[in-house]
Amino acid sequence: MKIIVSSLYLLLLTSTQVFSQAPPTYTSAEILLQLKKLNTLASVLYVAAHPDDENTRLMAYFAKEKLYRTGYLSMTRGDGGQNLIGDEQGIELGLIRTQELMAARRIDGAEQFFTRAYDFGFSKTTEEAMRIWEKDKILADVVWVIRRFQPDVIVTRFPEDSRAGHGQHSASAVLAHEAFKAAADPNVFPEQLKYGVKPWQAKRIVWNTFNFGGNNTTSNDQLNFDVGVYNPVIGKSYGEIAAESRSLHKSQGFGVARSRGQQLEFFTPVEGTPASGNLFDGINTNWGRVTGGEKIQLMIDQLVSSFSITNPEKSVPGLLNLYKEILKLPEGFWKQQKLKEVESLIEECSALWLECTTNTPYATRGDSLRFNFYLINRLLPNVSIKRIAVDGFDTTMNQPLVTNRVTTFAKSIPVPLTKPLTQPYWLENDMSEGSFNVSDQALIGNPESKPAYEIGFTVTIDGQDFTLTRPLQFKTTDPVKGEIYQPLTIIPEVTGRFEPALLVLNSNDAKNFEVITRKQSKYVNGIKTSVVNTGNVNVKAEGNTSNGVSNYKANRVKANNEIDDARLLFNNNGKMDDAQELRTISYEHIPRIDYFVRPKLKLVIADIKTVGKRIGYIEGAGDKVADALRQMGYEVVMLNERNITPANLKQFDAVISGIRAYNVHAWLVDKYEILMDYVKEGGNYIVQYNTSNLPASVSAKIGPYPFVIANKRITDEKAKVNFTKPAHPVLNFPNKITSADFENWIQERGIYFADKQDSKYESIFSMQDPGESPLDGSLIIADYGRGKFVYTGVVFFRELPAGVPGAYRLMANIIALNYKKAF
Ligand SMILES: [Zn+2]
């Protein structure tokens, strides 16, 4: 389980906590808005690259003021961003940001879609993003979402050129533009048509121009309108709703203030019939677009004008009639869409509550699971439950649901051995470099997997049957937080993992590690495990297994710097299978996230010479650097506000600050004198990157001489690294650093480089991204008193956990900078 340690996170918690899994309830005001929405047959799809790119104010305005069906298609799940609330990176960060986006959509009323594109980190060009994503694969997904969603208007956040500021941003606009045409062409991605979609031509595609980051692309001759209006039915203006939605992007630190009053949004045509005056100019947005729909329009007008705030159930007979009339219409997209909306309204107007929960967060294949049913109809006189259907259990009944009386019952159902593990669908297959691989076309575009169990409740209201679907959820009551709903996760009979999961094997090292297995089912007897590696290391079992812990030893057998992975197998009915490791990410603003990985022990064979022993580590926004330092043989002491004192610092050969420490700890500013005195007395203070931009830009003094932190980076992880000071100790002692040490890096070389540094700093490297000028601020070092001060944007926080040998050797040299006997 994840323990929340960041103090910033506490600041970000708002008073209106979202227990996002609790089933929603509806006020009459919300019902009235939905009733009105029945008469709007229009849809708009917003397209950008990442969670947080979307214009939540505009989307809330579309969804709740104009009552359009509104969608946001994000190319990626934001896997490559920075995490302000914990140490999750990559796919784990993508899992968090997916749920943050879902939480935001519950507030602004839009629907969420994704392509299979992986956010591989900052990209300077469209071309690079397209190449790594495999353009055709992602274009197919954008086309697929358009064909499913059938938007009348497509809105891009970004332009197709470098004004977008990020190669993935401009790529999202290029893909949206190409897909606008391709989705209408039956000869493009024709295989999709087998899955129930048809070619779709949106009326127009526009770019929602912006004025931020010192870049104003709006102008008064562009189509513009005010989205800052106040909605009295909701009691908020769209600037307020947008802030609540956007502030759920907590891992990005995107909490924003609620804005009120006029807010103009600007649009410029990209393709399709240009709009004049109104974005939906020339588009029929009412029932006139459906054959035979005129009558429906009038019925809905009548329902809206007769709606009773105090007795919403009085609308139910009218809604039932409406439902029957819509059923008579010819088959079509809007018929199905509006039937779903009417079903929800009937349920909301009758204050129907259908719930199925269980008292455990995890269910094991082969065990049985208790389903607790809890049903109540709080307003209507004549409702009954006719049928309940769930995997392997299907009951027909005819049980009246008496007004405002609870009906409960329970049932135990076996979980079959063949039940799939609960896994986010995009992580089921191994991924490619820049995209996920999904076997089931029907899942592509979906924000998340279906729940482990879905229950179909067929209820009869005034003789009309409806089937409403609910997920099975884990429900519990916490003495502090109150009632909590969480997902239910299906887990295998045995789970296993390596402890630690990363071993650094220095020259002639042998290191112990443990295999920890856990019986998840009472039917499992002995667990037989086996560890295999690919040959650079010898792995041997040592001693016996007890309480699920087996001891192993890894011996290095190769001389070269290598990375190897050992796999964990376990006996599954007589055959050795890859074990599954259960990983859980738990934060309060989103539902618990579980996923499975094949356990891997990363074995890093690296010749690392170290000097110095004790390191003080100031925890920053969250990274795994301290664990890597321990693997190198250092003793690491964690430092915080209280123990950064002159006396305590004396013991350390080096003090290292974690990533973005100055962004997240305001108190670090007050430690400046203490840290500089430590350096002056012969210490070595190493500052890893901090950001220069929002949410918390660093204005603090960090080093002994001036430098600024710039938003400058080297995104090409293969970029050539030139040694501008080849004789500098950092490149020679105790390890001789060569170009080989910069092989096999991942994602990037460095971010947030030092800039405008004082001449007392020495710049060690010069690096250059394709087509750009060289940068010299990745690693700067200064003498101060008898010690050293270092600022580095080199991404040690990525490369060390990834096991890159050269990153370990360079870090050892930085730590050795103040070693007295060296020179
Ligand atoms: Zn973005």
Side-chain angles (χ1 to χ4, degrees):
M1 296 288 277
K2 177 93 200 109
I3 309 293
I4 310 301
V5 284
S6 165
S7 57
L8 186 72
Y9 178 72
L10 297 175
L11 295 177
L12 290 168
L13 284 178
T14 58
S15 54
T16 50
Q17 279 244 355
V18 183
F19 288 102
S20 44
Q21 289 287 291
T25 55
Y26 299 90
T27 66
S28 284
E30 288 161 331
I31 293 173
L32 180 61
L33 266 189
Q34 292 179 46
L35 269 179
K36 288 185 170 169
K37 183 174 179 155
L38 287 179
N39 258 345
T40 305
L41 284 69
S43 64
V44 55
L45 184 65
Y46 202 87
V47 182
H50 307 115
D52 77 22
D53 286 342
E54 78 278 21
N55 184 339
T56 45
R57 187 168 54 217
L58 176 62
M59 285 178 22
Y61 173 84
F62 281 151
K64 303 212 165 188
E65 181 69 24
K66 302 304 286 183
L67 303 172
Y68 301 149
R69 187 178 180 211
T70 305
Y72 175 42
L73 170 59
S74 175
M75 295 297 136
T76 74
R77 294 173 185 272
D79 323 79
Q82 285 151 20
N83 181 356
L84 270 124
I85 58 173
D87 60 12
E88 297 86 358
Q89 305 283 339
I91 58 160
E92 294 198 334
L93 183 55
L95 285 162
I96 292 173
R97 295 185 70 190
T98 295
Q99 289 302 327
E100 290 181 341
L101 217 46
M102 299 295 290
R105 294 297 82 83
R106 283 187 280 270
I107 289 177
D108 59 38
E111 295 168 55
Q112 184 61 48
F113 303 96
F114 292 100
T115 74
R116 287 171 289 180
Y118 178 69
D119 175 8
F120 54 85
F122 190 81
S123 166
K124 286 176 181 167
T125 65
T126 310
E127 181 278 328
E128 186 198 36
M130 294 292 203
R131 177 169 43 81
I132 296 177
W133 279 350
E134 302 172 52
K135 182 186 171 188
D136 274 0
K137 182 173 176 177
I138 306 310
L139 178 63
D141 291 0
V142 180
V143 166
W144 170 250
V145 170
I146 291 172
R147 285 172 174 171
R148 271 174 66 182
F149 190 76
Q150 301 190 4
D152 297 311
V153 176
I154 297 171
V155 182
T156 65
R157 169 78 284 186
F158 299 106
E160 294 170 45
D161 53 44
S162 62
R163 287 173 298 173
H166 185 324
Q168 295 184 7
H169 289 168
S170 42
S172 75
V174 171
L175 288 165
H177 189 178
E178 287 190 24
F180 170 79
K181 291 172 279 191
D185 185 344
N187 298 314
V188 181
F189 307 119
E191 65 285 357
Q192 292 180 357
L193 305 180
K194 287 187 294 209
Y195 295 92
V197 296
K198 55 174 200 172
W200 179 254
Q201 179 61 68
K203 183 87 169 176
R204 61 180 60 97
I205 177 169
V206 297
W207 166 32
N208 176 205
T209 54
F210 50 76
N211 182 5
F212 52 66
N215 200 352
N216 186 3
T217 55
T218 66
S219 77
N220 287 331
D221 57 2
Q222 292 170 354
L223 169 65
N224 64 81
F225 49 84
D226 177 17
V227 301
V229 293
Y230 176 76
N231 187 331
V233 179
I234 301 171
K236 286 169 187 165
S237 60
Y238 294 100
E240 292 172 291
I241 298 171
E244 288 166 15
S245 162
R246 193 158 184 78
S247 297
L248 285 163
H249 291 302
K250 293 187 193 301
S251 66
Q252 297 293 292
F254 274 163
V256 291
R258 294 178 175 86
S259 68
R260 296 174 187 87
Q262 189 188 60
Q263 293 282 348
L264 295 179
E265 289 293 340
F266 295 81
F267 303 86
T268 188
V270 175
E271 196 159 342
T273 325
S276 59
N278 171 356
L279 211 49
F280 275 69
D281 179 38
I283 299 166
N284 193 346
T285 61
N286 60 38
W287 280 96
R289 70 191 293 172
V290 175
T291 314
E294 296 77 7
K295 185 180 174 194
I296 307 282
Q297 185 94 16
L298 294 175
M299 288 177 80
I300 295 167
D301 285 341
Q302 174 60 30
L303 276 165
V304 171
S305 60
S306 63
F307 180 69
S308 163
I309 292 278
T310 51
N311 293 89
E313 75 281 9
K314 287 186 177 161
S315 297
V316 171
L319 284 165
L320 285 167
N321 279 337
L322 178 68
Y323 190 82
K324 287 173 198 153
E325 284 303 317
I326 297 176
L327 273 178
K328 288 180 200 159
L329 294 174
E331 272 318 307
F333 176 81
W334 283 109
K335 173 183 176 178
Q336 291 309 320
Q337 182 62 25
K338 292 296 167 184
L339 282 175
K340 272 186 261 166
E341 292 180 22
V342 177
E343 280 173 7
S344 300
L345 275 163
I346 291 171
E347 180 190 357
E348 292 159 22
C349 287
S350 46
L352 198 57
W353 184 274
L354 305 171
E355 178 181 292
C356 184
T357 59
T358 186
N359 50 10
T360 169
Y362 296 103
T364 306
R365 296 192 291 204
D367 285 355
S368 71
L369 185 59
R370 190 177 163 88
F371 288 58
N372 300 310
F373 295 90
Y374 179 107
L375 321 175
I376 183 168
N377 143 48
R378 288 176 284 181
L379 289 177
L380 280 186
N382 195 7
V383 178
S384 57
I385 178 90
K386 187 173 179 185
R387 178 170 175 241
I388 292 179
V390 58
D391 274 21
F393 164 65
D394 193 337
T395 302
T396 306
M397 55 183 100
N398 197 359
Q399 164 98 29
L401 296 177
V402 179
T403 314
N404 211 29
R405 297 279 156 74
V406 172
T407 301
T408 61
F409 54 94
K411 173 102 188 149
S412 279
I413 298 173
V415 181
L417 286 166
T418 52
K419 182 88 182 162
L421 301 179
T422 309
Q423 175 81 327
Y425 73 86
W426 60 97
L427 300 181
E428 272 173 24
N429 300 325
D430 288 339
M431 63 179 291
S432 304
E433 183 196 2
S435 60
F436 298 105
N437 292 307
V438 177
S439 331
D440 183 355
Q441 177 68 33
L443 294 173
I444 291 175
N446 290 355
E448 57 184 344
S449 294
K450 282 193 164 190
Y453 283 95
E454 283 188 313
I455 295 94
F457 292 93
T458 305
V459 291
T460 310
I461 301 176
D462 285 341
Q464 177 73 47
D465 286 352
F466 301 92
T467 298
L468 302 161
T469 305
R470 292 286 176 276
L472 174 67
Q473 290 178 297
F474 162 55
K475 181 178 168 182
T476 186
T477 306
D478 179 275
V480 176
K481 295 172 191 157
E483 191 179 63
I484 293 173
Y485 290 83
Q486 287 285 4
L488 170 91
T489 297
I490 306 293
I491 56 176
E493 303 87 302
V494 176
T495 52
R497 64 186 171 86
F498 292 104
E499 180 62 46
L502 172 82
L503 284 186
V504 176
L505 299 170
N506 216 330
S507 19
N508 305 317
D509 258 356
K511 276 190 180 168
N512 294 312
F513 65 93
E514 293 174 342
V515 167
I516 298 175
T517 51
R518 191 159 168 194
K519 280 202 294 181
Q520 305 286 4
S521 163
K522 56 181 183 277
Y523 301 113
V524 173
N525 294 319
I527 302 173
K528 190 164 176 284
T529 57
S530 156
V531 176
V532 286
N533 70 83
T534 55
N536 296 314
V537 173
N538 234 338
V539 171
K540 273 211 295 269
E542 294 225 316
N544 295 323
T545 303
S546 67
N547 292 326
V549 179
S550 318
N551 296 302
Y552 283 82
K553 185 169 249 169
N555 285 288
R556 168 177 163 151
V557 294
K558 285 259 175 87
N560 297 335
N561 290 325
E562 302 262 8
I563 307 175
D564 198 357
D565 292 318
R567 282 159 67 204
L568 177 58
L569 303 182
F570 94 100
N571 188 334
N572 182 10
N573 293 318
K575 102 178 197 294
M576 296 306 276
D577 254 353
D578 270 300
Q580 296 286 344
E581 175 177 351
L582 169 65
R583 297 225 180 129
T584 297
I585 302 170
S586 189
Y587 288 106
E588 285 211 359
H589 65 300
I590 50 174
R592 190 191 75 244
I593 299 165
D594 294 314
Y595 73 104
F596 295 93
V597 293
R598 284 194 295 263
K600 252 196 224 166
L601 171 65
K602 196 166 279 298
L603 297 157
V604 185
I605 304 170
D607 292 313
I608 314 162
K609 297 189 189 80
T610 62
V611 297
K613 194 71 194 158
R614 281 173 83 73
I615 294 175
Y617 199 85
I618 305 169
E619 192 159 29
D623 58 59
K624 292 175 173 135
V625 172
D627 289 340
L629 294 170
R630 291 189 181 103
Q631 278 294 320
M632 294 165 78
Y634 300 107
E635 287 169 25
V636 181
V637 176
M638 300 310 283
L639 295 176
N640 55 42
E641 183 173 7
R642 268 162 301 162
N643 63 8
I644 300 181
T645 61
N648 195 34
L649 295 193
K650 279 202 175 92
Q651 61 174 309
F652 298 118
D653 297 304
V655 171
I656 304 179
S657 67
I659 59 170
R660 294 199 307 282
Y662 286 86
N663 296 112
V664 297
H665 300 311
W667 51 258
L668 210 39
V669 177
D670 302 331
K671 302 293 181 185
Y672 178 75
E673 300 295 335
I674 296 174
L675 287 160
M676 289 306 113
D677 284 348
Y678 158 76
V679 173
K680 210 191 281 175
E681 297 300 314
N684 180 11
Y685 183 36
I686 302 158
V687 177
Q688 297 180 81
Y689 92 90
N690 284 269
T691 66
S692 58
N693 55 5
L694 291 173
S697 65
V698 172
S699 55
K701 250 172 97 183
I702 296 178
Y705 316 110
F707 68 97
V708 299
I709 295 169
N711 192 358
K712 291 187 175 173
R713 52 182 79 211
I714 296 292
T715 59
D716 178 4
E717 72 274 18
K718 298 183 184 82
K720 184 168 185 321
V721 178
N722 297 305
F723 298 177
T724 44
K725 298 270 183 330
H728 196 283
V730 80
L731 296 175
N732 294 284
F733 177 79
N735 302 287
K736 174 76 186 166
I737 301 295
T738 69
S739 56
D741 288 301
F742 291 93
E743 286 168 10
N744 299 317
W745 283 49
I746 61 160
Q747 186 158 334
E748 58 206 348
R749 290 284 189 209
I751 53 181
Y752 294 102
F753 285 4
D755 199 13
K756 303 192 175 86
Q757 58 267 36
D758 188 275
S759 61
K760 294 195 182 66
Y761 289 103
E762 292 188 279
S763 296
I764 306 303
F765 299 125
S766 166
M767 317 176 190
Q768 190 170 0
D769 264 340
E772 306 230 339
S773 19
L775 299 176
D776 71 351
S778 60
L779 175 64
I780 61 166
I781 301 170
D783 290 315
Y784 182 61
R786 291 186 286 122
K788 301 281 181 183
F789 172 83
V790 179
Y791 176 83
T792 182
V794 172
V795 285
F796 288 105
F797 77 100
R798 287 197 203 286
E799 311 303 327
L800 296 178
V804 177
Y808 281 89
R809 288 157 45 82
L810 179 59
M811 179 54 100
N813 283 15
I814 295 174
I815 291 169
L817 276 170
N818 62 337
Y819 189 65
K820 309 301 175 300
K821 292 159 215 145
F823 291 90

